[in-house]
Amino acid sequence: MEYRRTAVIKLDTPEGADDSLRETVEQFKHCANTASEWCWHDDDGYHVTSKAKAERALYDQLRDETDLTANLVQKGIRRAVEAIKSGVERLKRGENTSQPHFSADSAVYDKRSATFHRDHVSLSTVDGRVECDYILPDDSEIPPTKYVSDEDFEFRMAHLQYRDGDWYLHASMRKVEADEESSESESKHRTVLGVDLGVNNLAVASTGLFWSADEFNHWRREYEKRRGSLQQCGSRHAHENIELVGQKEYGRFEIYLHTVANEIIEEAVENDCSHIVFEDLTHIRENIPEATWQHVWAFRRLYEYVEYKAEEHGIEAVQVDPRNTSKRCSTCGFTHDANRSVESFECQQCGYENHADYNASKNIGLQYLRRRQNAGDGGAPVDVRLNRGTLNVSGEYVPPASTEA
Ligand SMILES: [Zn+2]
């Protein structure tokens, strides 16, 4: 049995934190409103309801325009997309609606942007982390104290809200009461995160998160240019310079790859994944003919980082045979060259359309699950974690459970 409750907790903000929180909420609203504008407005009346699409279009811009962390920017975009989806539902029912606008002073936090404790919370802001104590009624039988003090209730996410001069946390809490049957299936249950590697997007996760390779490709080209001009000099001094440039660029690449690796792991932790699945890197040059040696180096390094760091979280990084992962439809399984055209995937059989790398990431996850099932793994339930709901091994879509209290 699973119980969900919303605990409304008044916060005791430290001296000087008010400005940081206000600015954070302001910038969060900016992300949501920018995304709403972008998703809603379209010449032909088409409204974007794909989080992945909105993130691809807006993420870099909003990171530049705000001082928010990656996670809060994503949450801002996602909040808008959810509102757009509701709007589109209303339109379908013939009801009147208009572009969603976010005016309430509120921001969405999850376990990456906040650390929830039993007596205080640490919130990510434009000025770094801010720690706020909870102001809770003493009576432990009365909400919110009842839930906050109960260790069986786990914090899932929260809305930070400003009302009449005070800050509140609207925390979604969950309690799982394990009876024998469910705890057994829980332990066998396997959910995986599929990751597709590529030259335009360095990595794409089956939850719909994209890590663009733009920055990486820019550095790579700069490096090649400088190396080319230095090589023309040919002197020993020039040769030394090439090595220096190389070292500096490697350093930058490595820092970037560490960030990507951390975010992939956060995504897996957040989605309760037991495995992170990559394509087999042994023949990566054949699988991705446009990959340069720097890309190959980056893919291997990224895998190493993920493998190493995942261990700390009890998550295993694995590799699978990548054959057909880019041509196969992740919805119906139909495999054909014509399904894929550069970055877009359109199944010639069932009509499923999505970003080609995203489709591939789902196939990579499914590939691993099929392998486990064929290995006669006792028939444990297996899923690929997607951005909404999960996909099981037979390709059936399971919608997400309601997150409302
Ligand atoms: Zn299909």
Side-chain angles (χ1 to χ4, degrees):
M1 261 321 257
E2 188 179 303
Y3 302 91
R4 287 173 189 271
R5 295 286 181 273
T6 300
V8 179
I9 307 161
K10 193 172 177 179
L11 297 177
D12 182 10
T13 55
E15 193 76 23
D18 204 61
D19 287 347
S20 309
L21 292 171
R22 274 168 173 271
E23 185 56 27
T24 304
V25 163
E26 239 3 88
Q27 295 191 5
F28 187 91
K29 279 197 286 185
H30 170 72
C31 291
N33 283 320
T34 304
S36 177
E37 171 96 25
W38 186 85
C39 292
W40 190 260
H41 274 291
D42 233 323
D43 308 329
D44 53 2
Y46 171 78
H47 308 300
V48 175
T49 54
S50 154
K51 285 176 192 161
K53 196 169 177 185
E55 282 183 13
R56 270 202 308 285
L58 299 168
Y59 176 82
D60 287 345
Q61 176 198 334
L62 290 171
R63 277 310 295 278
D64 283 342
E65 289 175 356
T66 66
D67 300 306
L68 298 175
T69 59
N71 183 260
L72 283 173
V73 168
Q74 277 165 359
K75 285 281 177 296
I77 297 172
R78 287 177 189 200
R79 178 175 228 194
V81 173
E82 289 300 338
I84 298 277
K85 276 185 193 164
S86 312
V88 167
E89 287 304 317
R90 281 195 295 277
L91 287 177
K92 275 186 193 161
R93 292 195 300 265
E95 294 167 28
N96 251 342
T97 191
S98 57
Q99 181 194 323
H101 183 75
F102 301 90
S103 55
D105 292 319
S106 160
V108 181
Y109 281 87
D110 67 9
K111 289 188 207 166
R112 280 178 287 182
S113 44
T115 313
F116 301 102
H117 300 276
R118 294 290 155 185
D119 58 348
H120 73 284
V121 65
S122 155
L123 299 166
S124 164
T125 75
V126 292
D127 298 310
R129 289 269 174 160
V130 163
E131 310 233 323
C132 305
D133 285 335
Y134 301 152
I135 301 172
L136 293 168
D138 285 334
D139 189 340
S140 66
E141 286 310 303
I142 292 172
T145 314
K146 185 175 178 192
Y147 309 124
V148 174
S149 61
D150 185 349
E151 297 276 349
D152 289 340
F153 271 98
E154 170 201 357
F155 286 89
R156 305 289 294 171
M157 50 84 68
H159 289 241
L160 173 70
Q161 295 197 7
Y162 186 71
R163 262 198 335 266
D164 305 327
D166 285 307
W167 291 96
Y168 295 87
L169 206 58
H170 290 234
S172 300
M173 306 193 73
R174 186 180 71 164
K175 177 182 187 172
V176 179
E177 219 154 72
D179 50 44
E180 241 168 78
E181 209 178 317
S182 73
S183 65
E184 195 185 350
S185 68
E186 199 86 52
S187 67
K188 277 187 192 163
H189 195 90
R190 207 184 325 274
T191 295
V192 306
L193 186 75
V195 179
D196 181 61
L197 302 171
V199 295
N200 295 325
N201 292 298
L202 212 50
V204 176
S206 57
T207 46
L209 274 193
F210 286 67
W211 288 272
S212 160
D214 288 353
E215 215 171 337
F216 180 84
N217 288 331
H218 174 74
W219 291 338
R220 192 177 54 74
R221 281 190 296 269
E222 288 293 302
Y223 169 62
E224 291 294 347
K225 229 169 29 195
R226 257 177 291 171
R227 197 173 67 152
S229 64
L230 287 169
Q231 252 165 355
Q232 278 174 356
C233 301
S235 67
R236 210 196 85 187
H237 178 68
H239 182 75
E240 279 168 6
N241 262 330
I242 292 173
E243 292 202 337
L244 267 179
V245 169
Q247 275 166 22
K248 199 174 139 210
E249 298 304 313
Y250 268 131
R252 282 159 90 177
F253 292 168
E254 278 177 337
I255 291 168
Y256 181 64
L257 292 171
H258 270 292
T259 310
V260 177
N262 284 332
E263 288 173 357
I264 288 175
I265 288 159
E266 279 172 18
E267 195 67 6
V269 169
E270 180 75 8
N271 288 286
D272 296 324
C273 295
S274 59
H275 293 76
I276 302 172
V277 191
F278 287 80
E279 60 203 273
D280 194 322
L281 296 175
T282 320
H283 304 294
I284 191 87
R285 271 183 204 275
E286 290 146 52
N287 304 332
I288 311 177
E290 33 330 350
T292 63
W293 65 265
Q294 287 105 330
H295 286 111
V296 173
W297 169 82
F299 297 152
R300 297 209 165 116
R301 203 36 81 85
L302 180 63
Y303 180 77
E304 280 168 22
Y305 290 161
V306 169
E307 187 182 34
Y308 168 71
K309 292 175 193 211
E311 227 180 79
E312 294 169 24
H313 299 273
I315 296 169
E316 201 184 330
V318 291
Q319 298 185 4
V320 294
D321 184 348
R323 255 175 304 171
N324 295 331
T325 47
S326 61
K327 301 176 199 166
R328 187 178 201 275
C329 172
S330 59
T331 300
C332 76
F334 180 68
T335 303
H336 200 280
D337 280 337
N339 282 352
R340 182 183 186 160
S341 160
V342 200
E343 293 216 304
S344 51
F345 184 94
E346 187 183 350
C347 178
Q348 302 300 302
Q349 183 160 288
C350 77
Y352 170 78
E353 274 182 72
N354 217 315
H355 193 284
D357 295 343
Y358 177 53
N359 177 67
S361 70
K362 291 198 274 188
N363 279 328
I364 288 168
L366 281 169
Q367 181 83 333
Y368 177 73
L369 298 178
R370 274 194 297 271
R371 194 175 89 187
R372 296 300 300 222
Q373 214 176 43
N374 293 340
D377 200 36
V382 280
D383 297 315
V384 176
R385 189 57 78 183
L386 305 175
N387 57 347
R388 293 193 80 227
T390 56
L391 195 69
N392 66 24
V393 75
S394 48
E396 286 165 42
Y397 180 73
V398 183
S402 165
T403 52
E404 295 307 310

